[in-house]
Amino acid sequence: EREDALHWLSPLEFYTKHADTIQRRTEDTGTWLLRNPFFKDWVKGSSSQGTLLCTGRPGAGKSVLASIVIDHLRETLKDQYVVLYSYCNFKEKEQQTAVNLVSSLLRHLGTD
């Protein structure tokens, strides 16, 4: 019944995409990012940049880097914050409406 309610809230399931992306990454991928002083400042909130933006061509590894950041934040901030995330894909843009994206974040709160 709970799963039905969560699916009704949003059809988007980013935790599945996240799990798939985690399985695709290889050991030590993205460690350069986690060690970067700018990234460390961003995590602490001492950076003037509020948004971490990663751009690139399809297949360049943006989702893999995002999954590394998500896991890092979930591990290091688990006692202070809930980490919500979404993965957007241009092939699924019709389903990824603003309402569905926000609703998926609410759905995510119900599963954590």
Side-chain angles (χ1 to χ4, degrees):
E1 200 171 284
R2 180 180 177 197
E3 283 299 316
D4 290 342
L6 291 173
H7 186 73
W8 171 83
L9 190 57
S10 174
L12 304 177
E13 298 181 5
F14 295 120
Y15 47 86
T16 303
K17 171 70 173 168
H18 182 72
D20 292 343
T21 304
I22 289 170
Q23 290 180 342
R24 288 186 295 146
R25 67 183 187 204
T26 58
E27 189 177 346
D28 295 331
T29 299
T31 55
W32 61 269
L33 176 60
L34 301 179
R35 292 181 185 145
N36 184 289
F38 176 82
F39 177 77
K40 288 180 180 183
D41 286 346
W42 179 80
V43 170
K44 290 182 209 170
S46 56
S47 169
S48 62
Q49 301 295 318
T51 302
L52 186 63
L53 178 65
C54 182
T55 62
R57 296 179 182 175
K62 297 178 299 294
S63 294
V64 173
L65 284 177
S67 72
I68 291 165
V69 170
I70 291 164
D71 281 355
H72 177 77
L73 294 175
R74 290 176 81 186
E75 181 59 33
T76 59
L77 304 175
K78 64 184 171 189
D79 296 331
Q80 300 168 322
Y81 301 98
V82 173
V83 177
L84 300 176
Y85 56 88
S86 63
Y87 288 87
C88 294
N89 183 331
F90 73 96
K91 293 178 184 176
E92 300 168 0
K93 65 183 173 186
E94 291 173 9
Q95 190 178 21
Q96 294 174 347
T97 64
V99 169
N100 281 349
L101 289 170
V102 171
S103 297
S104 74
L105 297 177
L106 293 172
R107 178 183 178 168
H108 191 89
L109 281 173
T111 59
D112 262 1

